Amino acid sequence: MTVTGQDSDVARGLDGLEDERASARLRAALAVGSAPDPRYVPKLVERCATEPEFFVRDMLTWALTRHPVGLTLPALLGEVRAERAQARSQALHTLSKIGDVRAYPAITPALLSDADEEVARSAWRAAVVLAPEEERPALAEVLVTQLGRGGQETRRSLSRALVALGEVTVPALRAAAGGTGPEVRAHALATEQLLRDPDSGFAGAIEEAKRVVALGGAGGGEHEPVLIGEVARRSGVSARMLRHYESLGLVRPSGRTGSGYREYSGADIRRILHVESLRSLGLSLREIGRALDDPGFTPSALVGDLIRQTRARIAAQTELLTRLRRIDAADPADWEEALQVVALLHALWSRSADARQRAALSSADEVPVPVEALVEAVLNEPDTNVAGALRWSLARSAGGAEELLAQALDSPVAAVRERAARALAELPDEGAAGRLHEALGHPDAVVRAHAALSLATRGATGAVPVLIDMVVAGRRDTDAADALGALAADRTTADRITAAVTARITEPTTPAAARGRLTQALADVPGQAASRALAELARDEDRAVSLTAAYLLRLRGGTG
């Protein structure tokens, strides 16, 4: 029997998927997805069920999406009923990536409530992607039965799924918010809050919902009367203050027990919540009484005065507090040194760029400037030379800057985010490295770029995906390619970088210019894997890619 070249390629691919080395399995999955063959499908599905490495599983899923749906869909539908939890979870994940709505009937209520949390979360995500429009209200009804389940990550996943369904979830969420279980009610309220305001954040929404539930809100109907001690425990308002409210007529308990103890109804508890909310705005108890009891009361004038007074008070107190904290942070030994600190702080905010630069350079050697002041100056400095001096001084400061700079990464001003990212990238300590790792997922591409390039100089391979994105986008792509070459110091890392770059080149959505830049990025990646990838690209249909790959091969001596 004659064995063709294609047969031997398939055999190598199947063997590679079983290799004991994760890097070899990753390369095999990439090769299988790049050259689809029906004979691969059973093995790909089988490996998804057992593969321990996340990156390899993700590549297996990608390889399955490259094969015809007519082959993959039946195999994956069989896996969602498998006994092994990973088989069910990975099959559901892959179905969501394929996106064929014919798979939706297989996502049963049993899967949506699977005892394994990873399976359930995969089922939620897949169901939201695949559900036809007419099925979405019924899906919402099933999903809300899982409210209150698991830890915060699981609850966040469920909330995201419900939010993705949109307004059809509102009736089911409100019904759940009126239930008896406090965890379920809080989760339902938090999810509806996220639906209304996606930027509010899950953790904050949960805490606010728990507070409302504890005070008897959420539309749960009237509750049994509660004694004053329990009201104090739930609301955080002391029993003494509750009695004071009663003496002023703000909140009167609706009843008393036979022994004379105060009993608060659900309406009473809600009024306590209203009083506390108005107190938090700065209203006096007398003004609160008017606001709650006078039907003709119009709060606009009063609130306007409060806003003006509060702004003025905050501005004055903030300025004073900032000056005091900066002087205190410098820890002056005497009044003479304290005055030197004050003079240096004034110089940092001088109108003269030269004065600001001298102050920045002297702060590292003479009178130490508090880190908070240096960070504020870095974030607001428009002059390039002064900004460089400030970053230099900040990198030599006593520490603590990474937390302040990390907070500035969320500034609504793009220039501030860029300055914060650049300063953070130049800090040498481990705390900065941790913040830079977090910044790899930042929504601002400029922030991600600074973080990735800095981490690459520290040998952090977690920066690879962002560096590849930079090459694709043409944003500091030469720096990113150099960083990829520097990271490829060992064979395993070099092979992983080669596999990731090649995967982006073969994606149908990658633009032609980006494919050329990605090919060029393989120039400094050593190893046989990169050479083989270049040899394959030298036969690419895109002439620019093939010429670049052939030239790089010649530079490598044809083998790397």
Side-chain angles (χ1 to χ4, degrees):
M1 181 178 179
T2 303
V3 177
T4 66
Q6 186 178 14
D7 290 336
S8 61
D9 288 343
V10 170
R12 280 196 299 271
L14 294 172
D15 289 341
L17 292 174
E18 295 287 355
D19 197 289
E20 62 181 16
R21 297 165 299 167
S23 60
R25 298 196 302 275
L26 183 68
R27 289 196 300 272
L30 173 62
V32 165
S34 300
D37 188 290
R39 289 170 288 182
Y40 288 135
V41 171
K43 178 58 69 177
L44 287 170
V45 173
E46 177 187 328
R47 283 303 307 171
C48 281
T50 58
E51 174 57 52
E53 294 290 335
F54 169 79
F55 286 110
V56 181
R57 288 201 304 272
D58 214 37
M59 191 65 78
L60 290 169
T61 289
W62 172 79
L64 280 167
T65 64
R66 301 272 292 170
H67 285 76
V69 176
L71 295 174
T72 57
L73 190 59
L76 292 169
L77 291 178
E79 285 292 284
V80 300
R81 298 187 294 272
E83 182 176 348
R84 191 184 184 97
Q86 183 175 310
R88 301 195 300 276
S89 173
Q90 199 65 22
L92 288 163
H93 173 66
T94 307
L95 287 170
S96 73
K97 296 297 182 183
I98 292 173
D100 194 304
V101 297
R102 291 175 296 176
Y104 179 70
I107 306 176
T108 61
L111 283 171
L112 294 169
S113 59
D114 197 286
D116 186 283
E117 290 196 355
E118 196 57 44
V119 174
R121 291 168 65 180
S122 296
W124 300 338
R125 290 191 292 266
V128 169
V129 170
L130 301 174
E133 197 66 33
E134 66 274 10
E135 297 286 348
R136 295 168 84 82
L139 174 60
E141 294 283 351
V142 177
L143 290 180
V144 296
T145 65
Q146 302 301 298
L147 289 168
R149 169 182 178 169
Q152 181 157 305
E153 282 303 314
T154 298
R155 296 185 186 188
R156 182 185 284 111
S157 292
L158 181 57
S159 290
R160 285 173 176 166
L162 286 163
V163 168
L165 286 175
E167 291 294 327
V168 299
T169 64
V170 172
L173 285 172
R174 289 184 177 171
T180 56
E183 293 293 324
V184 173
R185 293 169 60 202
H187 194 180
L189 283 170
T191 302
E192 187 170 357
Q193 168 66 18
L194 283 176
L195 181 64
R196 300 299 179 213
D197 181 11
D199 295 328
S200 62
F202 180 75
I206 278 286
E207 289 306 312
E208 177 63 19
K210 285 181 176 178
R211 189 173 74 88
V212 173
V213 169
L215 289 171
E222 292 299 320
H223 301 273
E224 291 295 320
V226 182
L227 298 180
I228 189 171
E230 181 65 13
V231 173
R233 186 188 68 81
R234 291 187 185 185
S235 66
V237 181
S238 69
R240 180 179 179 181
M241 183 59 74
L242 290 172
R243 294 188 187 97
H244 183 51
Y245 287 170
E246 182 181 358
S247 70
L248 295 176
L250 275 178
V251 181
R252 295 186 179 91
S254 298
R256 290 187 180 258
T257 67
S259 304
Y261 292 105
R262 295 168 176 82
E263 288 186 327
Y264 290 82
S265 67
D268 298 335
I269 294 174
R270 284 191 288 277
R271 187 172 172 95
I272 293 171
L273 176 61
H274 294 156
V275 170
E276 292 303 299
S277 296
L278 292 172
R279 280 189 68 194
S280 72
L281 297 178
L283 272 69
S284 69
L285 294 179
R286 180 178 61 82
E287 291 166 335
I288 291 171
R290 284 182 57 207
L292 293 178
D293 296 331
D294 183 358
F297 177 75
T298 54
S300 56
L302 177 61
V303 172
D305 287 341
L306 284 171
I307 290 173
R308 287 187 290 274
Q309 294 167 16
T310 303
R311 281 177 174 167
R313 186 167 61 252
I314 289 174
Q317 293 297 321
T318 299
E319 184 178 353
L320 174 61
L321 178 62
T322 299
R323 288 201 301 269
L324 292 172
R325 288 176 65 183
R326 288 173 178 171
I327 295 171
D328 181 61
D331 194 22
D334 50 39
W335 277 112
E336 182 179 355
E337 190 170 318
L339 291 174
Q340 288 178 328
V341 172
V342 172
L344 197 55
L345 291 173
H346 277 300
L348 280 177
W349 295 100
S350 169
R351 292 185 178 182
S352 167
D354 289 341
R356 296 198 304 274
Q357 186 170 10
R358 287 194 299 270
L361 293 172
S362 64
S363 67
D365 301 317
E366 298 175 8
V367 180
V369 174
V371 169
E372 287 185 359
L374 277 176
V375 169
E376 185 178 355
V378 164
L379 297 178
N380 290 279
E381 180 55 61
D383 186 278
T384 302
N385 294 327
V386 179
L390 286 167
R391 291 195 302 273
W392 176 85
S393 181
L394 192 60
R396 287 156 181 77
S397 64
E402 61 273 4
E403 178 66 28
L404 298 171
L405 291 170
Q407 293 174 8
L409 294 178
D410 293 325
S411 168
V413 181
V416 172
R417 295 196 300 271
E418 195 277 336
R419 292 167 190 155
R422 189 168 182 180
L424 190 60
E426 294 180 17
L427 294 182
D429 54 19
E430 288 301 316
R435 294 298 187 178
L436 289 168
H437 275 286
E438 294 173 4
L440 290 175
H442 198 279
D444 188 331
V446 174
V447 172
R448 295 198 302 272
H450 279 293
L453 291 170
S454 178
L455 287 170
T457 65
R458 306 170 195 230
T461 57
V464 168
V466 175
L467 292 171
I468 293 174
D469 287 342
M470 291 168 64
V471 175
V472 171
R475 182 184 301 107
R476 299 185 68 180
D477 51 293
T478 302
D479 293 338
D482 290 343
L484 288 170
L487 283 173
D490 60 85
R491 178 179 174 181
T492 300
T493 304
D495 288 355
R496 287 181 61 188
I497 290 173
T498 299
V501 170
T502 309
R504 291 299 292 273
I505 292 174
T506 57
E507 283 185 6
T509 56
T510 303
R515 296 181 77 243
R517 290 192 294 270
L518 288 166
T519 302
Q520 183 66 46
L522 291 172
D524 294 326
V525 179
Q528 292 293 329
S531 293
R532 287 193 296 270
L534 287 169
E536 181 66 28
L537 289 168
R539 298 188 293 272
D540 195 89
E541 294 179 356
D542 187 321
R543 183 163 176 78
V545 170
S546 63
L547 288 174
T548 300
Y551 173 72
L552 295 177
L553 271 177
R554 286 197 298 274
L555 293 180
R556 299 164 75 99
T559 61

